[in-house]
Amino acid sequence: MRHTDVAVIGAGVLGCFAARALSALNLHITVLEQREDVCTGVTRANTGIIYSGYDNHPGSLKARLCARANASFDRLCEELDIRFSRCGSLMVAFGPHAEAVLEQKLENGLASGVAGLRIVEGDELFALEPNLSHAATRGLFAPGTGVVNPWELGIAAYENAAANGVEFRFCERLLRMERSEGGFLLETEQEVYRAKIVINCAGLSADAVREMLCLPTVRIFPTGADYLVLDDTVQGFFQHVIFHEPEEKGKGLTLVPTVDGNLLVGPTERGRDLAPDGATAASGLRWLTELCAKVAPSLPLSEQIRSFSALRPNPRTVREEGGVWVPEDRSINDFTLYQDNGLISLLGIKTPGLTCAAELGRLCAEFTAETLGFPGNNPRFHPNRRGVRRLHGMDEAQRAALVREDPNYGDILCVCRDVSRGEILEAIRRGAVTLDGVKRRTGAGMGRCQGARCLSDVLELLARAQRIPPEAVTLDGEGSPVLGAKYGTC
Ligand SMILES: Cc1cc2nc3c(=O)[nH]c(=O)nc-3n(C[C@H](O)[C@H](O)[C@H](O)COP(=O)(O)OP(=O)(O)OC[C@H]3O[C@@H](n4cnc5c(N)ncnc54)[C@H](O)[C@@H]3O)c2cc1C
């Protein structure tokens, strides 16, 4: 049996930031993750926006955390050495109904202290975004909105937490949990753990994990989402994140100029049944294309290089009816955090969960210190972490210096994204065990050819590093063989 002070379940962005915040305390912390790597769940596929906070009901936990998180995001990204573009956003209306929504959001934002919010129209609107359809009537400009690469954020928190002494245990699925004297017993396929506190960050399974000990109160009812990705040849088409507020009831379009220079289009909101998990729905992609024609008619959709899908962890209050737990009609709009005598559950944390991950992590550390009594500071704690050095964006002198230091940086494997062998080896050294793990750390395979040219090299490096046959290397964990054989990572 292994002993730990705090067990964190799940290594998505929330689990990684909970671990990072806890690592400032003088405690032994263990993170149990069922998959082979971090950020493979909800964190894998989202929009990457750092929200300013005008969307949330003033005074709500979401509004308070979002305003705080946004204000401190530059510092967080400096500490973790990740790219952050505070590009601002425009929420655009095409008629009176949507204009009224913009006014309401402006009021919300002002009440929550969101800085710089204002309504723009006419020449000013189109000077900000010349490629926006000229049928747009008004916009809500939020200069504080930003964008990150969500993988970079979660992976940076993981590496920093691990460097501060947190123990990450991959391929360990929590199967059972029970209360025992002074805490909890947790059983995975490999081990039994005794922990004083459990932080449940299990994403889509956070309700199931909480129900190992408690009766249901909130359950997660996932819905699907689809995205399109346009190549970085469209870089500069939009300068800001564009939120389209529809005139009719329903969801609008979001267009995101990413930190990698390409344009993300989406997400849709659709039933999970419209496509198998992991697949996009044709109807969703069609809907995106149709809305693009309305919001940005000159957007060159021919530059599309990829589509992907996501799952939303929608929380809903449930009640028992004839032995079955059924959802209440109204959905929950705020973050749902439960504290059940030492079990802290972050349940169904949707947008802006990425924005608020560090703040939610801080809350988990505060709850822990309140419950256990302040354990003192971790003398090893350091908030800073250095990212994988990227050739892309370096000037000639910097590149030459790096290649002199390590010739692997002179061998470009991913031509589309300018990623060298050195970067890929460094990503593997830091924990990438799948092709997607390398992609999430370096960008290799994310360009126009989608890995057609670098796949075999990356696969060979992964196989060599893990001393496994190339056939055993997977795209993204168990059930995703690349060379056709039936191997798994966990
Ligand atoms: C479509 C979409 C768009 C979004 N866009 C934005 C945005 O633009 N900005 C923003 O701020 N937020 C956004 N969000 C919200 C944000 O992505 C989420 O709040 C966040 O990623 C949730 O992270 P998580 O750690 O809770 O979940 P996950 O990333 O799913 O992590 C949970 C982890 O728990 C593990 N796990 C589960 N069960 C067990 C078990 N029994 N044992 C061990 N491990 C287990 C899983 O393998 C997984 O790795 C978006 C969300 C969606 C769905």
Side-chain angles (χ1 to χ4, degrees):
M1 180 176 319
R2 287 172 176 264
H3 290 255
T4 188
D5 293 314
V6 187
V8 179
I9 315 303
V13 71
L14 298 187
C16 292
F17 270 101
R20 176 181 189 248
L22 284 159
S23 74
L25 300 173
N26 197 13
L27 293 170
H28 187 270
I29 299 139
T30 307
V31 181
L32 303 177
E33 167 55 53
Q34 66 187 357
R35 292 282 305 269
E36 68 294 334
D37 198 358
V38 299
C39 301
T40 60
V42 179
T43 310
R44 178 191 63 87
N46 60 65
T47 322
I49 299 170
I50 301 309
Y51 283 86
S52 61
Y54 64 74
D55 274 314
N56 312 308
H57 190 69
S60 64
L61 181 61
K62 259 188 193 178
R64 282 182 285 128
L65 292 190
C66 195
R68 250 198 333 245
N70 185 292
S72 56
F73 224 84
D74 297 272
R75 186 169 50 84
L76 180 70
C77 294
E78 268 168 38
E79 283 177 357
L80 294 178
D81 191 22
I82 67 162
R83 296 168 298 167
F84 173 46
S85 159
R86 204 179 271 284
C87 54
S89 64
L90 259 183
M91 174 170 266
V92 293
F94 286 78
H97 169 78
E99 285 179 12
V101 175
L102 264 52
E103 290 290 348
Q104 182 60 55
K105 303 251 178 196
L106 174 66
E107 242 176 68
N108 278 356
L110 295 177
S112 297
V114 178
L117 267 189
R118 64 195 173 87
I119 300 282
V120 290
E121 54 194 336
D123 289 348
E124 190 182 7
L125 176 60
F126 300 112
L128 283 171
E129 285 301 354
N131 288 318
L132 192 63
S133 160
H134 280 234
T137 53
R138 298 182 105 188
L140 175 60
F141 179 50
T145 306
V147 290
V148 289
N149 176 320
W151 307 326
E152 251 175 67
L153 183 67
I155 289 168
Y158 152 62
E159 289 183 1
N160 186 229
N164 288 328
V166 174
E167 189 182 356
F168 281 80
R169 302 197 53 93
F170 293 105
C171 298
E172 285 224 36
R173 180 178 164 77
L174 178 69
L175 299 173
R176 265 173 292 281
M177 177 166 53
E178 62 185 61
R179 289 191 186 277
S180 80
E181 208 183 319
F184 304 84
L185 283 180
L186 298 102
E187 190 184 331
T188 70
E189 274 145 4
Q190 290 85 354
E191 277 287 354
V192 176
Y193 296 84
R194 187 182 282 281
K196 296 176 191 156
I197 298 278
V198 177
I199 315 275
N200 168 14
C201 298
L204 291 163
S205 304
D207 52 354
V209 166
R210 180 168 179 262
E211 288 170 32
M212 290 177 184
L213 291 179
C214 309
L215 282 177
T217 35
V218 166
R219 278 205 173 150
I220 295 170
F221 295 87
T223 51
D226 310 290
Y227 289 89
L228 296 175
V229 185
L230 305 195
D231 197 5
D232 54 13
T233 45
V234 302
Q235 185 161 21
F237 189 90
F238 282 124
Q239 305 292 334
H240 308 88
V241 173
I242 305 292
F243 298 113
H244 152 238
E245 179 59 36
E247 208 35 31
E248 322 73 39
K249 209 169 173 294
K251 189 161 165 46
L253 187 69
T254 304
L255 296 135
V256 184
T258 71
V259 286
D260 290 302
N262 47 15
L263 194 78
L264 193 61
V265 181
T268 57
E269 170 80 69
R270 61 161 169 83
R272 192 181 184 181
D273 52 337
L274 285 182
D277 288 353
T280 50
S283 56
L285 299 181
R286 224 175 11 253
W287 182 85
L288 290 176
T289 310
E290 283 163 16
L291 272 190
C292 280
K294 178 172 179 165
V295 177
S298 55
L299 182 66
L301 283 173
S302 53
E303 294 304 292
Q304 182 191 330
I305 54 172
R306 190 180 177 86
S307 59
F308 65 90
S309 71
L311 283 175
R312 287 190 175 83
N314 304 306
R316 296 195 90 134
T317 311
V318 288
R319 63 172 192 281
E320 196 189 346
E321 245 181 48
V324 182
W325 294 94
V326 292
E328 302 281 2
D329 290 339
R330 259 174 0 116
S331 55
I332 299 173
N333 285 324
D334 208 355
F335 285 147
T336 35
L337 262 73
Y338 280 94
Q339 240 191 310
D340 304 292
N341 292 326
L343 166 66
I344 297 157
S345 296
L346 273 57
L347 234 165
I349 305 291
K350 297 202 296 178
T351 306
L354 190 73
T355 308
C356 299
E359 290 296 320
L360 287 163
R362 199 176 46 76
L363 282 187
C364 292
E366 281 172 12
F367 285 145
T368 302
E370 271 167 31
T371 311
L372 294 179
F374 180 60
N377 292 320
N378 174 5
R380 272 180 64 188
F381 178 77
H382 202 297
N384 289 13
R385 159 269 183 195
R386 303 310 306 164
V388 175
R389 289 178 293 181
R390 288 172 182 273
L391 275 187
H392 194 72
M394 284 184 184
D395 62 30
E396 281 307 314
Q398 288 168 323
R399 290 172 86 108
L402 190 53
V403 175
R404 268 197 304 277
E405 186 188 314
D406 180 349
N408 282 310
Y409 284 89
D411 184 6
I412 304 295
L413 297 187
C414 171
V415 180
C416 303
R417 282 300 167 110
D418 200 16
V419 183
S420 64
R421 180 183 292 271
E423 287 154 87
I424 290 164
L425 286 171
E426 177 62 11
I428 294 172
R429 193 188 65 74
R430 290 177 183 227
V433 287
T434 63
L435 286 171
D436 276 357
V438 170
K439 178 176 84 175
R440 291 177 192 131
R441 285 169 175 83
T442 64
M446 277 179 69
R448 196 169 191 94
C449 89
Q450 288 289 298
R453 278 181 284 204
C454 63
L455 183 140
S456 59
D457 288 322
V458 178
L459 196 133
E460 204 181 305
L461 293 177
L462 279 164
R464 207 178 301 153
Q466 294 171 73
R467 295 196 170 87
I468 55 177
E471 296 82 1
V473 175
T474 63
L475 178 68
D476 190 22
E478 199 163 332
S480 60
V482 183
L483 297 178
K486 268 198 162 186
Y487 282 95
T489 316
C490 284

